[in-house]
Amino acid sequence: MLNSFSQFISLFPPALIPLVLLAIALLFIAPLGLFAFNFLAIKTLYEELRKIFQDIFQLILSNKWDSAKTLIWLSVFSWAMSLLTESFIQIFIAFCGWLFLIPGIHWLMYEEKKIKDFLTIEKVLIAPWITGALICFFLFATPENLPGIMVVTWPIISAIIAAPPKFIKPGPTYKVPDPPVRQDLIIMVLFNLLLSCWLQLSYSTQVWLAEYPSLRADDLTNSSFVVQTQSSETVHSQGYDILVQAEAALTESLQGQSWSQVERWLVNFDDRIREFNRQIIQRLPAKAENAYWQIEGRVLAGEYNVQLFAVWKGPSSNNAGYHLAKTCQISQVMPVDIKTAPQTPSPVGSVAPNTQVGTANVSCGAVTKAIKGQPDMAK
Amino acid sequence: MNFGVLPLRAIAFQGLFLLIAIALEAIVYFRQLGFDYKTSVRYAASVNLFSTFIGWLLFFNLQALLPQPLKEQLISYFFFERFFINPWAPSIAPLLALSGLIVFIGIFLLEVKSLDLLDLLLGKIKTEDAVLSKEDFRTSRLRQQGIIFKSNSRAYAVLVANAYSFSAILILLIIRSVEKLR
């Protein structure tokens, strides 16, 4: 330490050494002096800090035992405890935590003046709806999903929570509220029931869409009931999957076949398409809309172009329905090509007999967008 | 669940129609039943909310019971505002007219009953009974006729109120459909 210091000093010319020492001394002393000078200011700063921390502690910890904060701390405690345990004990302690948390938060919203003012909108305190949401979550939610019943019962449970305070008069004893209050209660409960119905309607919409998923891909702007919050461009109708599977089936039956076999296959093209229809539509996930999808196809002019259609015959935004199309080209691969292109994975045995005519190669284009109307079946 | 499609328009329309119906029916109650303005609005609101709620309950239960082709018509109308061409298509118009009539009569009966129910909940009947018990027998007979007449006029008021609100909503729907055709 001292060694390095003397090394550092020796860097300077000897005449300057006192000056350097003085500078170093000042460098250390100046902040101290400044600190001494600002001691009062720092003291007040500490006092402010202490006040803030005190406020925070007072906000978190209550000096009364019968308060909302006690309940919330109990729930935090049980949550922490439940992390230490396992299996059914953990579930039980977490359950107790919820039992503390829900009344705690409900109480807090009524106890704290600031929170209560914040939650009052147009003279209506929305605290019961927050408690209702917590209760619904506690009753119905599972780690995997949030079931529909949770959302649908939320307004009803909130109305049930909001009503009882009106039935208690300072005493505290039970009493039937005055007619004007009763009238407001009736409207409040009925309005919440209506809200439940609206939520249920959104779930019913989802149920219908689950049975008819291709409706999502259609144009819904005409409806006076629903709006599309998600662009229909991003959604594939089931026709897309059907065409992808049809392509796989076509490739499976033609790829690597000899050219004469391909021609024989194409002679019975309509029967083949009917076969595809049977196989692919049956293999789709079971939904009510499957009956409305149909695969059609035609052989275009030329050597050979096949067009596959997935036709929607169910409800749609225009009269004639719509269809999706995919064009596949079946080309002849000459035996010479196979020899020069060793990456072709066809086994040697199956290629050898067909050396005179060559084998088929299937290559398909992309699925088109939905085209209005039925497909044009002219050859 | 994927909430890419939400029935927000249905909710907006129902809110609008409810507001119109409550306003119109409150005016009728105010004139015919001699309530003060606040009471008539509250009565109209409770009665309309109640009948709407019962209507939703019936709708949710009935749509699950509909035969498949009719359900497809419902879905087609719900999502595309047009009916789907299937064997049930020709019978849709008469069915709609019939169900419209049933809805009108049903809501009328429901609102008459719910007005009574509301009176019961608000304890209005008791005071009338108390007034009645004080009268002697002869005047009470006259009174009774009066009460019968009054309950009739109440049903009449509800009928008129419903006629107004249904007509207003119908006119709005017609305007909307004309707007769409253009």
Side-chain angles (χ1 to χ4, degrees), chain A residues 178-180 182-184 186-188 190-191 193-194 196-209 211-212 215-216 218-230 235 288 292 313-320, chain B residues 1-11 13-15 18 39 41-43 45-47 49-50 52-53 56-57 59-60 63 68 71-72 74-86 118 120-124 176 180:
Chain A
D178 302 330
R182 258 182 279 167
Q183 173 69 76
D184 288 350
I186 288 167
I187 291 177
M188 191 269 291
L190 285 173
F191 182 67
L193 289 175
L194 183 65
S196 283
C197 288
W198 286 346
L199 291 173
Q200 174 61 46
L201 181 69
S202 0
Y203 274 94
S204 289
T205 311
Q206 307 311 314
V207 170
W208 291 335
L209 282 175
E211 281 297 300
Y212 299 84
L215 299 187
R216 266 184 210 283
D218 210 329
D219 172 31
L220 298 183
T221 47
N222 224 6
S223 167
S224 53
F225 296 94
V226 293
V227 277
Q228 221 156 5
T229 50
Q230 195 181 33
V235 187
Y292 289 117
K313 304 203 164 195
S316 82
S317 54
N318 67 319
N319 256 323
Chain B
M1 274 207 173
N2 175 5
F3 284 99
V5 176
L6 286 174
L8 295 180
R9 278 191 196 141
I11 292 172
F13 271 121
Q14 179 152 58
L18 264 176
T39 319
V41 170
R42 286 176 174 185
Y43 264 54
S46 339
V47 160
L49 284 173
F50 181 67
T52 314
F53 172 63
W56 274 120
L57 281 190
F59 170 75
F60 288 132
Q63 62 91 16
Q68 191 63 21
K71 197 169 175 182
E72 271 156 11
L74 173 71
I75 287 174
S76 173
Y77 191 75
F78 189 80
F79 288 107
F80 305 117
E81 188 105 348
R82 51 190 302 286
F83 291 110
F84 170 54
I85 297 155
N86 71 3
L118 199 60
L120 192 75
L121 282 175
L122 296 180
K124 291 258 163 84
R176 183 177 151 75
K180 247 188 187 171

Side-chain angles (χ1 to χ4, degrees), chain A residues 5 8 60-61 97 121 132 153 158 167 171 203 223 257 263 320-321 338 375:
Chain A
F5 183 72
F8 174 73
I60 298 172
L61 292 170
I121 299 166
T153 51
S158 307
F167 286 90
Y203 274 94
S223 167
Q257 297 287 321
E263 284 175 333
I338 293 173

Side-chain angles (χ1 to χ4, degrees), chain A residues 5-304:
Chain A
F5 183 72
S6 58
Q7 253 178 4
F8 174 73
I9 290 293
S10 64
L11 285 176
F12 298 97
L16 280 180
I17 284 172
L19 268 178
V20 170
L21 285 177
L22 191 67
I24 290 170
L26 274 176
L27 206 67
F28 279 102
I29 291 162
L32 280 176
L34 205 66
F35 182 80
F37 186 72
N38 283 343
F39 182 71
L40 281 174
I42 287 167
K43 197 181 162 193
T44 51
L45 182 74
Y46 269 114
E47 264 172 14
E48 286 298 318
L49 276 179
R50 195 176 61 88
K51 253 185 211 162
I52 290 171
F53 275 105
Q54 210 168 26
D55 282 354
I56 290 172
F57 271 105
Q58 217 155 37
L59 205 68
I60 298 172
L61 292 170
S62 172
N63 41 9
K64 284 187 296 181
W65 278 111
D66 57 334
S67 78
K69 284 163 197 161
T70 319
L71 280 174
I72 291 175
W73 276 112
L74 274 174
S75 77
V76 170
F77 176 70
S78 21
W79 172 72
M81 282 291 113
S82 74
L83 290 183
L84 301 178
T85 54
E86 275 173 8
S87 73
F88 74 94
I89 303 171
Q90 182 175 31
I91 293 169
F92 177 74
I93 296 176
F95 178 82
C96 292
W98 274 102
L99 286 190
F100 289 129
L101 182 69
I102 292 169
I105 284 183
H106 187 65
W107 195 351
L108 188 74
M109 286 186 292
Y110 279 91
E111 193 183 59
E112 290 290 322
K113 189 92 175 61
K114 276 177 199 160
I115 297 177
K116 199 172 177 177
D117 287 346
F118 179 70
L119 292 177
T120 307
I121 299 166
E122 290 291 318
K123 293 184 197 165
V124 179
L125 181 64
I126 57 166
W129 281 264
I130 295 169
T131 317
L134 281 176
I135 290 180
C136 288
F137 186 78
F138 167 59
L139 287 180
F140 300 115
T142 52
E144 293 83 37
N145 67 332
L146 307 172
I149 190 168
M150 181 184 89
V151 181
V152 172
T153 51
W154 172 39
I156 299 174
I157 288 182
S158 307
I160 293 171
I161 293 165
K166 305 271 167 42
F167 286 90
I168 294 165
K169 76 174 175 198
T173 47
Y174 166 83
K175 66 141 197 192
V176 178
D178 302 330
V181 180
R182 258 182 279 167
Q183 173 69 76
D184 288 350
L185 267 182
I186 288 167
I187 291 177
M188 191 269 291
V189 169
L190 285 173
F191 182 67
N192 277 294
L193 289 175
L194 183 65
L195 283 183
S196 283
C197 288
W198 286 346
L199 291 173
Q200 174 61 46
L201 181 69
S202 0
Y203 274 94
S204 289
T205 311
Q206 307 311 314
V207 170
W208 291 335
L209 282 175
E211 281 297 300
Y212 299 84
S214 297
L215 299 187
R216 266 184 210 283
D218 210 329
D219 172 31
L220 298 183
T221 47
N222 224 6
S223 167
S224 53
F225 296 94
V226 293
V227 277
Q228 221 156 5
T229 50
Q230 195 181 33
S231 164
S232 61
E233 305 278 307
T234 60
V235 187
H236 285 313
S237 73
Q238 240 191 329
Y240 185 88
D241 303 334
I242 289 172
L243 279 184
V244 168
Q245 288 190 33
E247 180 197 340
L250 187 75
T251 314
E252 194 190 334
S253 42
L254 290 185
Q255 184 80 28
Q257 297 287 321
S258 73
W259 197 242
S260 55
Q261 271 172 316
V262 168
E263 284 175 333
R264 227 178 300 144
W265 195 89
L266 288 175
V267 167
N268 288 332
F269 187 66
D270 291 345
D271 290 340
R272 306 295 183 185
I273 289 293
R274 234 165 278 146
E275 184 69 16
F276 277 5
N277 233 330
R278 221 166 39 85
Q279 285 175 4
I280 294 170
I281 304 287
Q282 264 179 11
R283 237 185 291 156
L284 289 174
K287 275 168 193 152
E289 73 162 26
N290 290 357
Y292 289 117
W293 278 111
Q294 199 175 353
I295 301 173
E296 287 172 20
R298 61 171 173 162
V299 183
L300 297 172
E303 276 274 292
Y304 288 107

